[in-house]
């Protein structure tokens, strides 16, 4: 796909669509959320094909291997071809997603359990009036 030998980690993370902007990618790298081959790095670190990158974003984490390099942000399908993720990482992230959903269900009750707002109260009141 590309003839590049190396690309900056912040550019690569942005091109692979892990972060919306290069600035956010750089902040994550500086914050220790990104490791290349098990080592913390700086945004200017050059990555090459075959490097193993671990990315932590929000409460999710990815363990990926660089399969291609690109300096430009391309469509999502092309961005997904820039890396491969091992099955253990996929399984771990799916468990994290499921756990997050369960926690959100406990924290935020369903809409039926909420106190009705002003508009809903009017509708309920009208419905009761019509029933009488």
């Amino acid at each position: 796909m590309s003839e590049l030998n190396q690309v900056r980690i912040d550019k690569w993370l942005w091109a692979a669509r892990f972060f919306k902007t290069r600035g956010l990618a750089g902040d994550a790298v500086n914050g220790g959320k990104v490791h290349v081959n098990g080592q913390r790095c700086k945004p200017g670190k050059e990555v090459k094909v075959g490097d193993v990158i671990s990315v932590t974003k929000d409460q999710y984490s990815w363990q990926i291997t660089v399969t291609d390099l690109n300096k430009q942000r391309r469509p999502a399908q092309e961005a997904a071809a820039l890396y491969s993720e091992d099955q253990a990482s996929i399984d771990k992230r799916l468990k994290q997603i499921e756990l997050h959903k369960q926690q959100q269900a406990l924290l935020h009750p369903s809409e039926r359990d909420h106190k009705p707002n002003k508009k809903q109260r009017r509708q309920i009141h009208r419905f009761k009036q019509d029933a009488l």
Side-chain angles (χ1 to χ4, degrees):
M1 189 169 165
S2 69
E3 299 170 6
L4 299 170
N5 293 336
Q6 298 180 5
V7 176
R8 289 173 53 113
I9 184 68
D10 60 344
K11 275 189 181 182
W12 188 86
L13 289 168
W14 169 72
R17 293 181 171 259
F18 282 95
F19 297 96
K20 278 188 172 184
T21 64
R22 276 187 59 198
L24 290 174
D27 291 345
V29 173
N30 282 330
K33 303 292 185 185
V34 178
H35 292 77
V36 177
N37 297 326
Q39 301 273 327
R40 269 186 82 162
C41 60
K42 294 183 179 180
K45 167 81 171 151
E46 300 283 337
V47 292
K48 55 189 178 303
V49 174
D51 282 347
V52 177
I53 299 175
S54 62
V55 179
T56 304
K57 184 178 173 186
D58 299 328
Q59 67 267 14
Y60 307 116
S61 60
W62 290 263
Q63 189 76 23
I64 56 176
T65 304
V66 177
T67 58
D68 202 359
L69 302 173
N70 200 345
K71 283 185 180 180
Q72 297 177 335
R73 193 168 170 101
R74 305 290 301 153
Q77 284 185 323
E78 291 180 35
L82 296 177
Y83 61 91
S84 64
E85 185 176 10
D86 61 344
Q87 191 60 40
S89 175
I90 294 171
D91 294 339
K92 182 179 176 184
R93 197 173 62 259
L94 290 176
K95 286 179 186 175
Q96 290 170 335
I97 291 170
E98 186 61 36
L99 180 64
H100 181 70
K101 284 181 182 178
Q102 290 172 357
Q103 290 173 345
Q104 290 299 319
L106 292 175
L107 290 175
H108 303 291
S110 69
E111 253 191 61
R112 289 183 210 128
D113 297 340
H114 284 151
K115 182 177 175 182
N117 63 24
K118 207 173 203 180
K119 184 177 180 182
Q120 291 169 335
R121 283 195 301 251
R122 266 191 241 131
Q123 290 172 347
I124 291 170
H125 183 68
R126 279 191 213 135
F127 178 74
K128 286 181 180 176
Q129 294 263 336
D130 292 341
L132 294 176

